Coordinates of all heavy atoms in Angstrom, one line a residue:
M980 N 57.7 96.1 75.9 CA 58.9 96.2 75.1 C 59.7 94.9 75.2 O 59.8 94.3 76.3 CB 59.7 97.4 75.7 CG 61.0 97.6 74.9 SD 61.8 99.2 75.3 CE 60.8 100.3 74.4
P981 N 60.4 94.5 74.2 CA 61.1 93.2 74.2 C 62.3 93.3 75.2 O 62.8 94.4 75.5 CB 61.7 93.1 72.8 CG 61.0 94.1 71.9 CD 60.4 95.1 72.9
S982 N 62.5 92.2 75.8 CA 63.6 92.2 76.9 C 65.0 92.1 76.3 O 65.9 92.4 76.9 CB 63.3 91.0 77.8 OG 63.4 89.8 77.1
K983 N 65.1 91.7 75.1 CA 66.4 91.6 74.4 C 66.6 92.8 73.5 O 65.7 93.4 72.9 CB 66.5 90.3 73.6 CG 66.5 89.1 74.4 CD 66.7 87.9 73.6 CE 66.7 86.6 74.4 NZ 66.9 85.4 73.7
T984 N 67.8 93.3 73.4 CA 68.2 94.4 72.5 C 69.4 94.0 71.7 O 70.1 93.1 72.1 CB 68.5 95.7 73.3 OG1 69.6 95.5 74.2 CG2 67.3 96.1 74.2
A985 N 69.6 94.8 70.7 CA 70.8 94.6 69.8 C 71.4 96.0 69.6 O 70.7 97.0 69.6 CB 70.4 94.0 68.5
N986 N 72.7 96.0 69.6 CA 73.4 97.2 69.4 C 73.5 97.5 67.9 O 73.7 96.6 67.1 CB 74.8 97.2 70.0 CG 74.7 97.1 71.5 OD1 73.8 97.7 72.1 ND2 75.6 96.4 72.2
L987 N 73.5 98.8 67.6 CA 73.6 99.3 66.2 C 74.7 100.3 66.2 O 74.7 101.3 67.0 CB 72.3 99.9 65.7 CG 72.3 100.6 64.4 CD1 72.5 99.5 63.3 CD2 71.0 101.3 64.2
Y988 N 75.7 100.2 65.4 CA 76.7 101.2 65.2 C 76.7 101.7 63.8 O 76.6 101.0 62.9 CB 78.1 100.5 65.5 CG 78.3 100.0 66.9 CD1 78.0 98.6 67.1 CD2 78.6 100.8 67.9 CE1 78.1 98.1 68.4 CE2 78.7 100.3 69.2 CZ 78.4 98.9 69.4 OH 78.5 98.4 70.7
A989 N 76.7 103.1 63.7 CA 76.6 103.7 62.4 C 77.5 104.9 62.4 O 77.6 105.6 63.4 CB 75.2 104.1 62.1
R990 N 78.1 105.2 61.3 CA 78.9 106.4 61.2 C 78.0 107.5 60.5 O 77.3 107.2 59.5 CB 80.1 106.2 60.3 CG 81.1 105.2 60.9 CD 82.4 105.1 60.1 NE 83.3 104.2 60.6 CZ 84.3 104.5 61.5 NH1 84.4 105.8 61.9 NH2 85.1 103.7 62.0
I991 N 78.0 108.7 61.0 CA 77.2 109.7 60.5 C 77.9 111.0 60.6 O 78.7 111.2 61.5 CB 75.8 109.7 61.3 CG1 74.8 110.7 60.6 CG2 76.0 110.1 62.7 CD1 73.4 110.5 61.0
E992 N 77.6 111.9 59.7 CA 78.3 113.2 59.8 C 77.9 114.0 61.1 O 76.7 114.0 61.4 CB 77.8 114.1 58.6 CG 78.3 113.5 57.2 CD 77.6 114.2 56.1 OE1 77.3 115.4 56.2 OE2 77.5 113.6 55.0
P993 N 78.9 114.6 61.7 CA 78.6 115.2 63.0 C 77.5 116.3 63.0 O 76.6 116.3 63.9 CB 79.9 115.8 63.4 CG 81.0 115.0 62.7 CD 80.3 114.6 61.4
D994 N 77.5 117.1 62.0 CA 76.5 118.1 61.9 C 75.1 117.6 61.6 O 74.1 118.1 62.2 CB 76.8 119.2 60.9 CG 77.0 118.7 59.5 OD1 77.5 117.6 59.3 OD2 76.6 119.4 58.5
V995 N 75.0 116.5 60.9 CA 73.7 115.8 60.6 C 73.2 115.2 61.9 O 72.0 115.4 62.3 CB 73.8 114.8 59.5 CG1 72.6 113.9 59.4 CG2 74.2 115.4 58.2
K996 N 74.1 114.6 62.7 CA 73.7 114.0 64.0 C 73.2 115.1 64.9 O 72.2 114.9 65.6 CB 75.0 113.3 64.5 CG 74.7 112.6 65.9 CD 76.0 111.9 66.4 CE 75.8 111.3 67.7 NZ 75.8 112.2 68.8
E997 N 74.0 116.2 65.0 CA 73.6 117.2 65.9 C 72.2 117.8 65.6 O 71.4 118.0 66.5 CB 74.7 118.3 65.9 CG 74.4 119.4 66.9 CD 75.5 120.5 66.8 OE1 76.7 120.1 66.6 OE2 75.2 121.7 67.0
Q998 N 72.0 118.1 64.3 CA 70.7 118.7 63.9 C 69.6 117.7 64.2 O 68.5 118.1 64.7 CB 70.8 119.1 62.4 CG 71.7 120.3 62.2 CD 71.7 120.6 60.7 OE1 70.7 120.7 60.0 NE2 72.9 120.7 60.1
A999 N 69.8 116.5 63.8 CA 68.7 115.5 64.0 C 68.4 115.3 65.5 O 67.2 115.2 65.9 CB 69.1 114.2 63.3
E1000 N 69.4 115.2 66.3 CA 69.2 115.0 67.7 C 68.5 116.2 68.4 O 67.7 116.0 69.3 CB 70.5 114.7 68.4 CG 71.0 113.3 68.1 CD 72.4 113.0 68.8 OE1 73.0 113.9 69.4 OE2 72.8 111.8 68.6
G1001 N 68.8 117.4 67.9 CA 68.1 118.6 68.4 C 66.6 118.5 68.1 O 65.8 118.9 68.9
I1002 N 66.3 118.1 66.9 CA 64.9 117.9 66.5 C 64.2 116.9 67.3 O 63.1 117.0 67.8 CB 64.7 117.7 65.0 CG1 65.2 118.9 64.2 CG2 63.3 117.3 64.6 CD1 65.4 118.6 62.7
L1003 N 64.9 115.7 67.5 CA 64.3 114.6 68.3 C 64.1 115.0 69.7 O 63.1 114.7 70.3 CB 65.2 113.4 68.2 CG 65.3 112.7 66.8 CD1 66.3 111.6 66.8 CD2 63.9 112.1 66.5
T1004 N 65.1 115.8 70.3 CA 64.9 116.3 71.7 C 63.7 117.2 71.8 O 62.9 117.0 72.7 CB 66.2 117.0 72.1 OG1 67.3 116.1 72.1 CG2 66.0 117.6 73.5
A1005 N 63.5 118.1 70.8 CA 62.3 119.0 70.8 C 61.0 118.2 70.7 O 60.0 118.6 71.3 CB 62.4 120.0 69.7
L1006 N 61.1 117.0 70.0 CA 59.9 116.2 69.9 C 59.7 115.2 71.1 O 58.7 114.6 71.2 CB 60.0 115.3 68.6 CG 59.9 116.1 67.3 CD1 60.3 115.1 66.1 CD2 58.6 116.7 67.1
G1007 N 60.7 115.2 72.0 CA 60.7 114.3 73.1 C 60.9 112.8 72.8 O 60.4 111.9 73.5
I1008 N 61.7 112.6 71.7 CA 61.9 111.2 71.3 C 63.4 111.0 71.4 O 64.3 111.7 70.9 CB 61.5 111.0 69.8 CG1 60.0 111.3 69.6 CG2 61.8 109.6 69.3 CD1 59.5 111.4 68.2
S1009 N 63.8 109.8 72.0 CA 65.2 109.5 72.1 C 65.7 109.0 70.7 O 64.9 108.5 69.9 CB 65.4 108.4 73.1 OG 64.9 107.2 72.7
V1010 N 67.0 109.0 70.6 CA 67.6 108.6 69.3 C 67.3 107.1 69.2 O 66.9 106.6 68.1 CB 69.1 108.8 69.3 CG1 69.8 108.2 68.1 CG2 69.4 110.3 69.3
S1011 N 67.4 106.3 70.2 CA 67.1 104.9 70.1 C 65.7 104.6 69.7 O 65.4 103.8 68.9 CB 67.4 104.2 71.5 OG 68.8 104.2 71.8
N1012 N 64.8 105.4 70.3 CA 63.3 105.2 69.9 C 63.1 105.6 68.4 O 62.4 105.0 67.7 CB 62.4 106.0 70.8 CG 62.2 105.3 72.1 OD1 62.5 104.1 72.3 ND2 61.7 106.0 73.1
A1013 N 63.8 106.7 68.0 CA 63.6 107.1 66.6 C 64.2 106.0 65.6 O 63.5 105.8 64.6 CB 64.4 108.4 66.4
I1014 N 65.3 105.5 66.0 CA 65.9 104.4 65.1 C 65.0 103.2 65.1 O 64.7 102.6 64.1 CB 67.3 104.1 65.5 CG1 68.2 105.3 65.3 CG2 67.8 102.8 64.8 CD1 69.6 105.1 65.9
N1015 N 64.4 102.9 66.3 CA 63.5 101.7 66.4 C 62.3 102.0 65.5 O 61.8 101.1 64.8 CB 63.2 101.5 67.8 CG 62.6 100.1 68.0 OD1 63.0 99.1 67.5 ND2 61.6 100.0 68.9
M1016 N 61.7 103.2 65.6 CA 60.5 103.5 64.8 C 60.9 103.4 63.3 O 60.1 102.9 62.5 CB 60.0 104.9 65.1 CG 59.4 105.1 66.4 SD 58.6 106.6 66.7 CE 59.9 107.7 67.0
F1017 N 62.1 103.9 62.9 CA 62.5 103.9 61.5 C 62.6 102.4 61.0 O 62.0 102.1 60.0 CB 63.8 104.6 61.4 CG 64.4 104.5 60.0 CD1 63.8 105.1 58.9 CD2 65.7 103.9 59.8 CE1 64.3 105.0 57.6 CE2 66.2 103.9 58.5 CZ 65.6 104.4 57.5
Y1018 N 63.2 101.6 61.8 CA 63.3 100.2 61.4 C 61.9 99.5 61.3 O 61.6 98.7 60.4 CB 64.2 99.4 62.4 CG 65.6 99.4 62.1 CD1 66.3 100.6 61.7 CD2 66.4 98.3 62.1 CE1 67.6 100.6 61.4 CE2 67.7 98.3 61.8 CZ 68.3 99.5 61.4 OH 69.7 99.5 61.1
K1019 N 61.0 99.8 62.3 CA 59.7 99.3 62.2 C 58.9 99.7 61.0 O 58.2 98.9 60.3 CB 58.9 99.6 63.5 CG 59.3 98.8 64.7 CD 58.5 99.1 65.9 CE 59.0 98.3 67.1 NZ 58.2 98.5 68.3
Q1020 N 59.1 101.0 60.6 CA 58.5 101.5 59.3 C 59.1 100.8 58.1 O 58.4 100.5 57.2 CB 58.7 103.0 59.2 CG 57.7 103.7 60.1 CD 56.3 103.5 59.8 OE1 55.9 103.6 58.6 NE2 55.5 103.1 60.8
I1021 N 60.4 100.5 58.1 CA 61.0 99.7 57.0 C 60.3 98.4 56.9 O 60.0 97.9 55.8 CB 62.5 99.5 57.2 CG1 63.2 100.9 57.1 CG2 63.1 98.5 56.3 CD1 64.7 100.9 57.5
I1022 N 60.0 97.7 58.0 CA 59.4 96.4 58.0 C 57.9 96.6 57.5 O 57.5 95.8 56.6 CB 59.4 95.8 59.4 CG1 60.8 95.5 59.8 CG2 58.5 94.6 59.5 CD1 61.0 95.2 61.3
L1023 N 57.2 97.5 58.0 CA 55.8 97.7 57.6 C 55.7 98.1 56.2 O 54.8 97.6 55.5 CB 55.1 98.8 58.5 CG 54.8 98.5 59.9 CD1 54.4 99.7 60.7 CD2 53.7 97.4 60.0
Q1024 N 56.6 98.9 55.7 CA 56.5 99.4 54.3 C 57.2 98.4 53.3 O 57.1 98.6 52.1 CB 57.2 100.8 54.2 CG 56.5 101.9 55.0 CD 55.2 102.2 54.6 OE1 54.9 102.3 53.4 NE2 54.3 102.6 55.5
K1025 N 57.9 97.5 53.9 CA 58.7 96.6 53.1 C 59.7 97.3 52.2 O 59.9 97.0 51.0 CB 57.8 95.7 52.2 CG 56.9 94.9 53.1 CD 56.7 93.5 52.6 CE 55.7 92.7 53.4 NZ 55.8 92.7 54.8
G1026 N 60.3 98.3 52.8 CA 61.3 99.2 52.1 C 61.4 100.5 52.9 O 60.9 100.6 54.0
L1027 N 62.1 101.4 52.3 CA 62.3 102.7 53.0 C 60.9 103.4 53.1 O 60.1 103.4 52.2 CB 63.3 103.6 52.3 CG 64.7 103.1 52.3 CD1 65.6 104.0 51.4 CD2 65.3 103.1 53.7
P1028 N 60.7 104.0 54.2 CA 59.4 104.7 54.4 C 59.3 106.1 53.8 O 58.5 106.9 54.3 CB 59.2 104.8 56.0 CG 60.7 104.8 56.4 CD 61.5 104.0 55.5
F1029 N 60.0 106.3 52.8 CA 60.0 107.6 52.1 C 60.6 107.4 50.7 O 61.2 106.4 50.4 CB 60.8 108.7 52.8 CG 62.2 108.3 53.3 CD1 63.2 108.2 52.4 CD2 62.4 107.9 54.6 CE1 64.5 107.8 52.8 CE2 63.6 107.5 55.0 CZ 64.7 107.4 54.1
D1030 N 60.2 108.3 49.8 CA 60.7 108.1 48.4 C 62.2 108.4 48.4 O 62.7 109.3 49.0 CB 60.0 109.1 47.5 CG 58.6 108.8 47.2 OD1 58.2 107.6 47.4 OD2 57.8 109.7 46.9
V1031 N 62.9 107.6 47.6 CA 64.3 107.8 47.4 C 64.5 108.1 45.9 O 64.3 107.2 45.1 CB 65.2 106.6 47.8 CG1 66.7 106.9 47.5 CG2 65.0 106.3 49.3
K1032 N 64.8 109.3 45.6 CA 64.9 109.7 44.1 C 65.9 110.8 44.0 O 66.2 111.5 45.0 CB 63.6 110.0 43.5 CG 62.8 111.1 44.3 CD 61.4 111.2 43.7 CE 60.5 112.0 44.6 NZ 59.1 112.0 44.2
L1033 N 66.4 111.0 42.8 CA 67.3 112.1 42.5 C 66.6 113.4 42.6 O 65.4 113.5 42.3 CB 67.9 111.9 41.1 CG 68.8 110.7 40.9 CD1 69.2 110.5 39.4 CD2 70.0 110.8 41.8
P1034 N 67.3 114.4 43.1 CA 66.6 115.7 43.2 C 66.2 116.2 41.8 O 66.9 115.9 40.8 CB 67.6 116.6 43.9 CG 68.9 115.9 43.7 CD 68.6 114.5 43.5
M1035 N 65.2 117.1 41.8 CA 64.8 117.7 40.5 C 65.9 118.6 40.1 O 66.7 119.1 40.9 CB 63.5 118.5 40.8 CG 62.3 117.6 41.1 SD 60.8 118.5 41.5 CE 60.8 119.9 40.4
A1036 N 65.9 118.9 38.8 CA 67.0 119.8 38.3 C 66.9 121.1 39.0 O 65.8 121.6 39.3 CB 66.8 120.0 36.8
K1037 N 68.0 121.7 39.2 CA 68.0 123.0 39.9 C 67.4 124.1 38.9 O 67.6 124.0 37.7 CB 69.4 123.4 40.2 CG 70.0 122.6 41.3 CD 71.4 123.1 41.7 CE 72.0 122.2 42.8 NZ 73.3 122.6 43.2
P1038 N 66.7 125.0 39.4 CA 66.2 126.1 38.6 C 67.3 126.8 37.9 O 68.4 127.0 38.5 CB 65.4 127.0 39.5 CG 65.4 126.3 40.9 CD 66.4 125.2 40.8
V1039 N 67.0 127.3 36.8 CA 68.0 128.1 36.0 C 68.0 129.5 36.7 O 67.0 130.1 36.9 CB 67.6 128.2 34.5 CG1 68.5 129.2 33.8 CG2 67.5 126.9 33.9
V1040 N 69.3 129.9 37.0 CA 69.5 131.3 37.5 C 69.9 132.2 36.4 O 71.0 132.1 35.8 CB 70.5 131.3 38.6 CG1 70.8 132.7 39.2 CG2 70.2 130.3 39.7
I1041 N 69.0 133.0 36.0 CA 69.2 133.8 34.8 C 70.5 134.7 34.9 O 71.2 134.8 33.9 CB 68.0 134.7 34.5 CG1 66.8 133.9 34.1 CG2 68.3 135.8 33.4 CD1 65.5 134.6 33.9
D1042 N 70.8 135.2 36.0 CA 72.0 136.1 36.2 C 73.3 135.3 35.9 O 74.3 135.9 35.6 CB 72.0 136.6 37.6 CG 70.9 137.6 37.9 OD1 70.3 138.1 36.9 OD2 70.6 137.9 39.1
S1043 N 73.3 134.0 36.0 CA 74.5 133.2 35.8 C 74.7 132.7 34.4 O 75.7 132.1 34.1 CB 74.5 132.0 36.8 OG 73.5 131.1 36.4
L1044 N 73.7 133.0 33.5 CA 73.8 132.5 32.1 C 74.5 133.5 31.2 O 74.3 134.8 31.4 CB 72.3 132.3 31.6 CG 71.5 131.2 32.3 CD1 70.1 131.1 31.7 CD2 72.2 129.9 32.3
T1045 N 75.1 133.0 30.2 CA 75.7 133.8 29.2 C 74.5 134.2 28.3 O 73.4 133.6 28.3 CB 76.8 133.1 28.4 OG1 76.2 132.0 27.7 CG2 77.9 132.7 29.3
K1046 N 74.7 135.1 27.3 CA 73.7 135.4 26.4 C 73.2 134.2 25.6 O 72.0 134.0 25.4 CB 74.2 136.5 25.4 CG 73.1 137.0 24.5 CD 73.6 138.1 23.6 CE 72.6 138.4 22.5 NZ 73.1 139.3 21.5
D1047 N 74.2 133.4 25.1 CA 73.9 132.2 24.3 C 73.1 131.2 25.2 O 72.1 130.6 24.7 CB 75.1 131.6 23.8 CG 75.8 132.4 22.7 OD1 75.1 133.2 22.1 OD2 77.0 132.2 22.4
E1048 N 73.5 131.0 26.4 CA 72.8 130.1 27.3 C 71.4 130.5 27.6 O 70.4 129.7 27.6 CB 73.5 129.9 28.6 CG 74.9 129.2 28.5 CD 75.7 129.2 29.8 OE1 75.6 130.2 30.5 OE2 76.5 128.3 30.0
L1049 N 71.2 131.8 27.8 CA 69.8 132.4 28.0 C 69.0 132.2 26.8 O 67.8 131.7 26.9 CB 69.9 133.9 28.3 CG 68.6 134.6 28.5 CD1 67.7 133.9 29.6 CD2 68.8 136.1 28.8
E1050 N 69.5 132.4 25.6 CA 68.8 132.2 24.4 C 68.4 130.8 24.2 O 67.3 130.4 23.7 CB 69.5 132.8 23.2 CG 69.6 134.3 23.1 CD 70.4 134.9 22.0 OE1 71.0 134.1 21.2 OE2 70.5 136.1 21.9
S1051 N 69.3 129.9 24.5 CA 69.0 128.4 24.4 C 67.9 128.0 25.4 O 67.0 127.3 25.0 CB 70.3 127.6 24.8 OG 70.0 126.3 24.9
E1052 N 67.9 128.6 26.6 CA 66.8 128.2 27.6 C 65.5 128.8 27.1 O 64.5 128.1 27.2 CB 67.2 128.8 29.0 CG 68.3 128.1 29.7 CD 68.0 126.6 29.9 OE1 66.8 126.3 30.3 OE2 68.9 125.8 29.8
L1053 N 65.5 130.0 26.6 CA 64.3 130.6 26.0 C 63.7 129.8 24.8 O 62.5 129.6 24.7 CB 64.5 132.0 25.6 CG 64.8 133.0 26.8 CD1 65.2 134.4 26.2 CD2 63.5 133.1 27.6
A1054 N 64.6 129.3 24.0 CA 64.2 128.5 22.9 C 63.6 127.2 23.3 O 62.6 126.7 22.8 CB 65.4 128.2 22.0
K1055 N 64.2 126.6 24.4 CA 63.6 125.3 24.9 C 62.1 125.6 25.4 O 61.2 124.8 25.2 CB 64.4 124.8 26.1 CG 65.7 124.2 25.8 CD 66.4 123.8 27.1 CE 67.9 123.6 26.9 NZ 68.6 123.3 28.1
G1056 N 62.0 126.7 26.1 CA 60.6 127.1 26.6 C 59.7 127.3 25.4 O 58.5 126.9 25.5
Y1057 N 60.1 127.9 24.4 CA 59.3 128.2 23.2 C 58.8 126.9 22.6 O 57.7 126.7 22.2 CB 60.0 129.1 22.2 CG 59.2 129.5 21.0 CD1 58.0 130.3 21.2 CD2 59.5 129.0 19.8 CE1 57.2 130.6 20.1 CE2 58.7 129.4 18.7 CZ 57.6 130.2 18.8 OH 56.8 130.5 17.8
V1058 N 59.8 125.9 22.5 CA 59.4 124.6 21.9 C 58.4 123.9 22.8 O 57.5 123.3 22.3 CB 60.7 123.7 21.8 CG1 60.4 122.3 21.4 CG2 61.6 124.3 20.7
D1059 N 58.6 124.0 24.1 CA 57.6 123.4 25.0 C 56.2 124.0 24.8 O 55.2 123.3 24.8 CB 58.0 123.7 26.5 CG 59.1 122.8 27.0 OD1 59.4 121.7 26.3 OD2 59.7 123.1 28.0
I1060 N 56.1 125.3 24.6 CA 54.8 125.9 24.3 C 54.2 125.4 23.0 O 53.1 125.0 23.0 CB 55.0 127.5 24.3 CG1 55.3 128.0 25.7 CG2 53.7 128.1 23.7 CD1 55.7 129.5 25.7
L1061 N 55.0 125.3 22.0 CA 54.6 124.9 20.7 C 54.1 123.4 20.8 O 53.1 123.0 20.1 CB 55.6 125.0 19.6 CG 56.0 126.4 19.3 CD1 57.2 126.4 18.3 CD2 54.9 127.2 18.7
E1062 N 54.7 122.6 21.6 CA 54.4 121.2 21.7 C 53.4 120.9 22.8 O 53.1 119.7 23.1 CB 55.7 120.3 21.9 CG 56.6 120.4 20.6 CD 57.8 119.6 20.7 OE1 58.0 118.9 21.7 OE2 58.6 119.7 19.7
G1063 N 52.8 121.9 23.4 CA 51.8 121.8 24.4 C 52.2 121.3 25.8 O 51.4 120.9 26.6
R1064 N 53.5 121.4 26.0 CA 54.0 121.0 27.4 C 53.9 122.3 28.3 O 55.0 122.8 28.6 CB 55.4 120.5 27.3 CG 55.5 119.1 26.6 CD 56.9 118.5 26.7 NE 57.9 119.4 26.1 CZ 58.4 119.2 24.9 NH1 58.0 118.2 24.1 NH2 59.4 120.0 24.4
T1065 N 52.7 122.6 28.7 CA 52.5 123.8 29.5 C 51.6 123.4 30.7 O 50.9 122.4 30.6 CB 52.0 125.0 28.7 OG1 50.7 124.6 28.2 CG2 52.9 125.3 27.6
K1066 N 51.6 124.3 31.7 CA 50.6 124.2 32.8 C 50.1 125.6 33.1 O 50.8 126.6 32.9 CB 51.3 123.7 34.1 CG 51.5 122.2 34.1 CD 52.1 121.9 35.5 CE 52.2 120.4 35.7 NZ 52.6 120.1 37.1
S1067 N 48.9 125.7 33.5 CA 48.3 127.0 33.9 C 49.0 127.4 35.2 O 49.4 126.5 36.0 CB 46.8 126.9 34.0 OG 46.5 126.1 35.2
A1068 N 49.0 128.7 35.5 CA 49.5 129.2 36.7 C 48.8 128.6 37.9 O 49.4 128.2 38.9 CB 49.5 130.7 36.8
N1069 N 47.5 128.4 37.8 CA 46.7 127.8 38.9 C 47.1 126.4 39.2 O 47.2 126.0 40.3 CB 45.2 127.8 38.5 CG 44.5 129.2 38.6 OD1 45.1 130.1 39.3 ND2 43.4 129.3 37.9
N1070 N 47.4 125.6 38.1 CA 47.9 124.2 38.3 C 49.3 124.2 39.0 O 49.6 123.4 39.8 CB 47.9 123.4 37.0 CG 46.5 123.1 36.6 OD1 45.6 123.1 37.3 ND2 46.4 122.7 35.3
V1071 N 50.1 125.1 38.6 CA 51.5 125.2 39.1 C 51.4 125.5 40.6 O 52.0 124.9 41.4 CB 52.4 126.2 38.4 CG1 53.7 126.5 39.1 CG2 52.6 125.8 36.9
F1072 N 50.6 126.5 41.0 CA 50.5 126.9 42.4 C 49.8 125.8 43.2 O 50.2 125.5 44.4 CB 49.8 128.2 42.5 CG 50.6 129.4 42.1 CD1 50.2 130.2 41.1 CD2 51.8 129.7 42.8 CE1 51.0 131.3 40.7 CE2 52.6 130.7 42.4 CZ 52.2 131.5 41.4
A1073 N 48.9 125.1 42.6 CA 48.2 123.9 43.3 C 49.3 122.8 43.6 O 49.3 122.2 44.7 CB 47.1 123.4 42.5
D1074 N 50.1 122.6 42.6 CA 51.2 121.6 42.8 C 52.2 122.0 43.9 O 52.6 121.2 44.7 CB 52.0 121.4 41.5 CG 51.3 120.7 40.4 OD1 50.2 120.1 40.7 OD2 51.7 120.7 39.3
I1075 N 52.5 123.3 43.9 CA 53.4 123.8 45.0 C 52.7 123.6 46.4 O 53.4 123.1 47.3 CB 53.8 125.3 44.7 CG1 54.7 125.4 43.5 CG2 54.5 125.9 46.0 CD1 54.9 126.8 43.0
R1076 N 51.5 124.0 46.5 CA 50.8 123.9 47.7 C 50.7 122.4 48.2 O 50.9 122.1 49.3 CB 49.4 124.5 47.7 CG 49.4 126.0 47.7 CD 47.9 126.6 47.8 NE 47.1 126.3 46.7 CZ 47.1 127.1 45.5 NH1 47.9 128.1 45.5 NH2 46.3 126.8 44.5
R1077 N 50.4 121.5 47.2 CA 50.4 120.1 47.5 C 51.7 119.6 48.0 O 51.9 118.9 49.0 CB 49.9 119.3 46.3 CG 49.8 117.8 46.6 CD 49.7 117.0 45.3 NE 51.0 117.0 44.6 CZ 51.1 117.3 43.4 NH1 50.1 117.6 42.6 NH2 52.3 117.4 42.8
D1078 N 52.8 119.9 47.2 CA 54.1 119.4 47.5 C 54.7 119.9 48.8 O 55.5 119.2 49.5 CB 55.1 119.7 46.4 CG 54.8 119.0 45.1 OD1 54.0 118.0 45.1 OD2 55.3 119.3 44.0
Y1079 N 54.3 121.1 49.2 CA 54.9 121.7 50.5 C 53.8 121.7 51.6 O 54.1 122.4 52.6 CB 55.4 123.1 50.2 CG 56.6 123.0 49.3 CD1 56.5 123.1 47.9 CD2 57.9 122.7 49.8 CE1 57.6 123.0 47.1 CE2 59.0 122.6 49.0 CZ 58.9 122.7 47.6 OH 60.0 122.6 46.8
G1080 N 52.7 121.1 51.4 CA 51.7 121.0 52.5 C 51.1 122.4 52.9 O 50.8 122.6 54.0
L1081 N 51.0 123.3 51.9 CA 50.5 124.6 52.2 C 49.0 124.7 52.0 O 48.4 124.0 51.3 CB 51.2 125.6 51.3 CG 52.7 125.6 51.3 CD1 53.3 126.6 50.3 CD2 53.2 126.1 52.7

């Protein structure tokens, strides 16, 4: 381990800090080691070691739609079908298993 160290100061939401530290404790990893691993991965990956992207659109909750909004959503789905933008149920479930490591 290098003999020199540098201090890092960061502001973080208290609940995020508490949850993350609980997980790190369960893994037997100190916060300092976790941050060091994170920085080393940034160096190795030449960027963040995970995808940074906007979340997918939230699913439509049918109960919260008005009649007009529901009809609009159904019309969008119908257009998708007509234009061939569909997936089989098997492909959808395969994607879910892949994305969630199931």
Side-chain angles (χ1 to χ4, degrees):
M980 182 169 280
S982 61
K983 295 184 179 184
T984 61
N986 291 326
L987 173 69
Y988 298 96
R990 294 184 182 272
I991 189 162
E992 296 171 25
D994 60 322
V995 170
K996 179 180 180 285
E997 184 179 326
Q998 289 178 49
E1000 286 177 355
I1002 293 167
L1003 291 171
T1004 298
L1006 293 170
I1008 300 171
S1009 71
V1010 173
S1011 293
N1012 282 343
I1014 292 170
N1015 198 39
M1016 288 189 288
F1017 177 61
Y1018 271 46
K1019 286 181 178 185
Q1020 283 299 310
I1021 290 171
I1022 294 165
L1023 287 170
Q1024 302 291 326
K1025 304 220 183 308
L1027 292 174
F1029 48 81
D1030 290 338
V1031 178
K1032 52 188 166 185
L1033 295 173
M1035 295 173 39
K1037 291 183 180 178
V1039 175
V1040 179
I1041 293 176
D1042 293 343
S1043 68
L1044 299 179
T1045 65
K1046 181 180 176 188
D1047 289 340
E1048 290 171 332
L1049 177 59
E1050 288 177 1
S1051 173
E1052 290 298 320
L1053 292 171
K1055 288 180 199 175
Y1057 185 66
V1058 169
D1059 284 343
I1060 291 169
L1061 294 176
E1062 294 182 1
R1064 291 189 300 262
T1065 62
K1066 280 187 173 182
S1067 71
N1069 287 338
N1070 287 344
V1071 171
F1072 287 118
D1074 289 347
I1075 291 170
R1076 284 190 293 277
R1077 180 196 70 232
D1078 292 346
Y1079 293 97
L1081 302 174

